[in-house]
Amino acid sequence: EIVLTQSPGTLSLSPGERATLSCRASQSVSSSYFAWYQQKPGQAPRLLMYGTSSRATGVPDRFSGSGSGTDFTLTISRLEPEDFAVYYCQQFGTSPITFGQGTRLEMK
Amino acid sequence: EVQLVESGGGLVQPGGSLRLSCVASGFTFNSYSMSWVRQAPGKGLERVSGIGGSGTATSYADSVRGRFTVSRDNSKNTVYLQMNSLRAEDTAIYYCARGGVGVISDYWGQGTLVTVSS
């Protein structure tokens, strides 16, 4: 099983700041099968990024993804109030599909 | 518009059973694998089961293998999760999602809450 470890666990930032979220895999993951999700309280997860760096429909361009192999990053260039949420990384190329434990992005 | 609507959750005693359903619309259902993903209270996401478009290929997390069974009825655009021998640790919101191994989970239902408690 590919274990995904996200850091930091919690990130406290202010609107307008830049956020950098990391996800490290226990073994190499194909970049084609790596994704990020955003989840707000009481809501289902929402797909943000897929194929490492492709934005899902409707996702603003302040969100970007990068990485390869075992290290992946989600960057939010300038935080908006609606961006404060929990973010999960996922690999879906190898069974079992696994998620990271999540990074909580909270407003400072 | 793609929609996934789960139902069947509720309160069940330890050792009991429950069947979840997920009705899909807005896409060619039999062309997509489907997944069940759960989230325990205050915890992260765990994919518990998946099924291929034809229904022949299935997969399970170790935590539920032998107790849960996934199936689908393509004539009804519905995927099911039969949950037996339920335990307290199965308490979670269960989400249905389109996609599986090799296919991005791009659409998710709103979830259905399963509570296992005496």
Side-chain angles (χ1 to χ4, degrees), chain A residues 33 35 37 39 43-44 88 92 97, chain B residues 39 47 100-102 105 108-109:
Chain A
Y33 302 120
Y37 294 86
Q39 188 178 34
Q43 297 184 15
Y88 294 95
F92 59 99
I97 291 171
Chain B
Q39 186 169 38
R47 184 187 190 246
V101 176
S105 290
W108 296 58

Side-chain angles (χ1 to χ4, degrees), chain B residues 72-92:
Chain B
R72 64 192 294 161
D73 184 339
N74 286 343
S75 69
K76 296 181 178 179
N77 283 8
T78 302
V79 60
Y80 304 97
L81 187 67
Q82 177 67 44
M83 305 186 295
N84 298 330
S85 303
L86 283 161
R87 306 166 180 167
E89 54 264 36
D90 296 318
T91 294

Side-chain angles (χ1 to χ4, degrees), chain A:
Chain A
E1 172 176 320
I2 297 177
V3 176
L4 301 178
T5 303
Q6 293 185 239
S7 61
T10 301
L11 187 56
S12 298
L13 295 169
S14 300
E17 290 193 293
R18 179 184 186 92
T20 303
L21 288 67
S22 296
C23 181
R24 176 162 289 179
S26 60
Q27 57 188 277
S28 186
V29 172
S30 168
S31 59
S32 298
Y33 302 120
F34 188 85
W36 290 94
Y37 294 86
Q38 177 193 66
Q39 188 178 34
K40 296 180 179 179
Q43 297 184 15
R46 169 200 179 196
L47 176 65
L48 274 184
M49 312 290 299
Y50 63 96
T52 297
S53 58
S54 296
R55 282 185 295 275
T57 302
V59 175
D61 60 8
R62 62 180 180 273
F63 288 89
S64 63
S66 63
S68 64
T70 60
D71 290 291
F72 296 86
T73 300
L74 175 69
T75 302
I76 310 171
S77 59
R78 293 174 310 279
L79 285 165
E80 297 287 342
E82 61 267 28
D83 299 336
F84 292 92
V86 179
Y87 293 83
Y88 294 95
C89 58
Q90 181 208 41
Q91 69 80 23
F92 59 99
T94 301
S95 185
I97 291 171
T98 50
F99 293 88
Q101 83 280 15
T103 289
R104 180 176 303 277
L105 178 55
E106 64 177 27
M107 196 177 300
K108 184 184 284 186

